[in-house]
């Protein structure tokens, strides 16, 4: 699925992989999200975070999910076909995300399945691995993407 | 678990429920999140969103996850015991969240399990249901919460 041009359901095959661009996570990005959505000191206060088990500021795991889809969306992989998603499975946080970390995402197609009820679409099940600048997986999750079939 | 005072692993039992406070979702909250994390027109542009299948602005499902944990965190249920979370399971988006919707969260304990490797903690598995002002479930998910045992 890593070619050019609009991709539809038929263009996704198990084993296909796409890699996103990079995002460097700043203190401000972490604390801005943390203060509203996940107000625990290790997400909101760089000084107080030093006294916690994490030894410093880390990104909310919920923010890591959001960054993962930002980076994937920006690849344009599902720009032509996306009809949204019924849900996500098996989100696993593996390594804390710290200020200065540079993240990218690798998405791999696990399975494709035509919709049983709607002939114009199918589901593409993908494993997303979010990786830091050291090559460590910081998070994995499985996404279920509703994709249009190629028109005509 | 709906009593007062600090709660530890021992205080959670299957079937226990807690209900959060309410948050009303504004246009600005939806578009601010959407523009950075999930830049699709139905999350970013109230006018252009009218021409989409959703007929107007809707919140990113990723934002609904974040709002769900914000509301749950603000209940204080895991304030004393939280050691973070290894992950989430079975996130299912059921109904779009639109500007003006007022959301709350119901968390129900499904299962508690002492840690096999660390005697000071256990895992509390909870079903979260995010509900709008019409009583519709907009999202469900299963969270796995690492909780400290009661000290001493």
């Amino acid at each position: 699925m890593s070619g050019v041009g609009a991709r539809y359901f038929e263009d996704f095959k198990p084993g296909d992989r796409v890699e996103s661009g990079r995002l460097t996570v700043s203190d401000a990005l972490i604390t801005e999200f943390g203060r509203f959505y996940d107000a625990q000191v290790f997400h909101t206060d760089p000084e107080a975070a030093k006294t916690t088990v994490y030894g410093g500021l880390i990104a909310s795991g919920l923010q890591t999910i959001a960054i993962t889809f930002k980076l994937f969306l920006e690849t344009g992989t599902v720009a032509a076909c996306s009809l949204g998603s019924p849900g996500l499975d098996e989100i696993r946080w593996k390594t804390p995300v710290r200020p200065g970390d540079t993240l990218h995402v690798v998405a791999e197609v696990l399975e494709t399945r035509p919709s049983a009820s709607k002939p114009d679409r199918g589901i593409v099940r993908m494993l997303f691995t979010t990786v830091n600048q050291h090559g460590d997986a910081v998070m994995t999750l499985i996404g279920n993407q509703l994709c249009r079939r190629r028109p005509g």
Side-chain angles (χ1 to χ4, degrees), chain A:
Chain A
M1 68 184 174
S2 52
V4 294
R7 294 183 195 87
Y8 292 92
F9 174 68
E10 294 82 351
D11 300 316
F12 293 88
K13 304 292 172 205
D16 286 350
R17 288 162 67 100
V18 65
E19 190 171 321
S20 78
R22 263 72 178 161
L23 176 77
T24 298
V25 177
S26 67
D27 273 68
L29 191 72
I30 291 174
T31 57
E32 185 192 21
F33 185 99
R35 283 171 191 158
F36 187 76
Y37 291 107
D38 196 350
Q40 304 185 74
V41 292
F42 38 80
H43 302 319
T44 61
D45 184 333
E47 282 307 309
K50 292 178 185 170
T51 68
T52 69
V53 292
Y54 298 110
L57 206 59
I58 64 167
S60 167
L62 309 172
Q63 185 173 25
T64 306
I65 300 174
I67 289 172
T68 295
F69 282 96
K70 171 186 173 61
L71 289 171
F72 177 66
L73 197 66
E74 289 172 358
T75 66
T77 306
V78 295
C81 80
S82 177
L83 292 165
S85 167
L88 309 175
D89 292 302
E90 298 175 37
I91 293 168
R92 294 296 176 267
W93 294 297
K94 295 168 179 288
T95 306
V97 173
R98 299 183 184 276
D101 279 0
T102 297
L103 304 181
H104 74 279
V105 174
V106 178
E108 179 178 347
V109 177
L110 297 176
E111 182 190 354
T112 68
R113 193 170 70 243
S115 167
S117 57
K118 297 190 176 170
D120 66 338
R121 66 193 64 182
I123 287 183
V124 179
R125 196 163 159 84
M126 281 182 279
L127 173 65
F128 293 83
T129 305
T130 312
V131 182
N132 68 17
Q133 71 277 14
H134 307 298
D136 302 322
V138 300
M139 188 186 72
T140 57
L141 65 81
I142 294 172
N144 301 291
Q145 180 70 49
L146 285 170
C147 274
R148 283 187 191 87
R149 286 177 171 275
R150 186 171 291 279

